[in-house]
Amino acid sequence: GENVEQHPSTLSVQEGDSAVIKCTYSDSASNYFPWYKQELGKRPQLIIDIRSNVGEKKDQRIAVTLNKTAKHFSLHITETQPEDSAVYFCAAPPGGQNFVFGPGTRLSVLP
Amino acid sequence: DVKVTQSSRYLVKRTGEKVFLECVQDMDHENMFWYRQDPGLGLRLIYFSYDVKMKEKGDIPEGYSVSREKKERFSLILESASTNQTSMYLCASSWTGPSNQPQHFGDGTRLSIL
């Protein structure tokens, strides 16, 4: 079955710096890769996703890159702000409509 | 906007009780999911359903069952609650498209078993 690993588990950056979180997956048939942000006490919310027919997708300060050959995808946040502090989860589908989630990365943006 | 509503934000129950967690979505989604979230373990899938009266086991189904009698409602049942089921429970839904679709989450139920 699908196995999703996520690194780092915690990440601290200075406000204005960039942050990168990387996920690897095992099932080469996976073709959809979402990223969720979960602020303290709130629900996980989709922030960006990418399908396997593209290598990169951007939405303002966030971007996701996908390397299907190496089976990894990364979340990039530029010009980080305190409101970016949260736990970020990646996911990959093992087949069917469900996802396998990574264990999460706690991002802290320091003022 | 998709709305996934979980019946309780906080719940305290006793060991051995039968516990029901309810989830309702308003977007006519075919798929519904129950996860538990524990620190350092991420979101682990308990059960999911892709249609009314259909259910599939996830990664950690032991000690749980589910019910989906109507399309909009998906219930998680703890048959005999135990202290190791103290956790945050998240419900999610998605529609079935030609390829995978994002899941939309509820606010979660923090369940404590005493």
Side-chain angles (χ1 to χ4, degrees):
Chain A
E2 180 72 276
N3 182 45
V4 177
E5 296 184 357
Q6 185 173 344
H7 298 281
S9 57
T10 59
L11 179 60
S12 294
V13 299
Q14 290 295 135
E15 184 176 353
D17 286 352
S18 296
V20 181
I21 303 169
K22 181 176 175 180
C23 282
T24 60
Y25 61 97
S26 58
D27 188 344
S28 57
S30 292
N31 57 9
Y32 173 71
F33 307 94
W35 282 95
Y36 287 82
K37 174 184 180 182
Q38 187 177 27
E39 297 177 66
L40 191 62
K42 296 192 175 180
R43 67 181 72 187
Q45 292 199 297
L46 179 75
I47 55 171
I48 197 167
D49 55 11
I50 192 168
R51 297 192 184 273
S52 57
N53 57 347
V54 297
E56 183 175 4
K57 184 177 177 181
K58 284 185 180 178
D59 183 2
Q60 299 182 346
R61 293 187 298 107
I62 61 173
V64 55
T65 57
L66 172 64
N67 184 326
K68 282 218 73 178
T69 303
K71 291 190 278 188
H72 65 72
F73 57 108
S74 298
L75 177 70
H76 304 254
I77 307 174
T78 59
E79 300 172 26
T80 53
Q81 300 167 4
E83 53 264 38
D84 294 329
S85 295
V87 178
Y88 292 82
F89 294 98
C90 62
Q97 299 295 325
N98 57 312
F99 295 154
V100 174
F101 284 85
T105 296
R106 182 174 299 279
L107 173 65
S108 299
V109 179
L110 308 174
Chain B
D1 227 12
V2 177
K3 190 152 181 71
V4 180
T5 303
Q6 295 184 230
S7 53
S8 305
R9 289 299 306 272
Y10 301 94
L11 205 53
V12 180
K13 295 291 182 180
R14 296 251 175 228
T15 303
E17 282 193 69
K18 191 169 186 176
V19 181
F20 294 85
L21 303 184
E22 307 286 348
C23 176
V24 176
Q25 49 94 4
D26 67 354
M27 282 302 292
D28 204 35
H29 284 171
E30 293 88 358
N31 309 303
M32 295 189 75
F33 309 85
W34 274 107
Y35 295 90
R36 67 176 279 176
Q37 183 175 24
D38 300 289
L41 298 178
L43 286 79
R44 293 182 293 165
L45 183 64
I46 305 171
Y47 268 97
F48 64 102
S49 168
Y50 52 85
D51 202 353
V52 176
K53 296 193 186 294
M54 305 299 287
K55 61 183 179 183
E56 294 281 345
K57 291 181 180 179
D59 299 317
I60 51 166
E62 297 78 19
Y64 304 95
S65 62
V66 289
S67 172
R68 191 156 181 214
E69 296 297 318
K70 292 185 177 182
K71 191 175 186 180
E72 67 270 19
R73 186 181 297 271
F74 192 35
S75 302
L76 179 69
I77 304 155
L78 285 66
E79 297 289 344
S80 178
S82 64
T83 54
N84 62 11
Q85 293 178 307
T86 291
S87 186
M88 170 69 85
Y89 290 87
L90 288 163
C91 175
S93 71
S94 71
W95 68 282
T96 298
S99 57
N100 288 98
Q101 299 299 320
Q103 294 180 14
H104 303 267
F105 286 86
D107 286 329
T109 296
R110 186 164 293 282
L111 175 64
S112 297
I113 307 296
L114 305 179

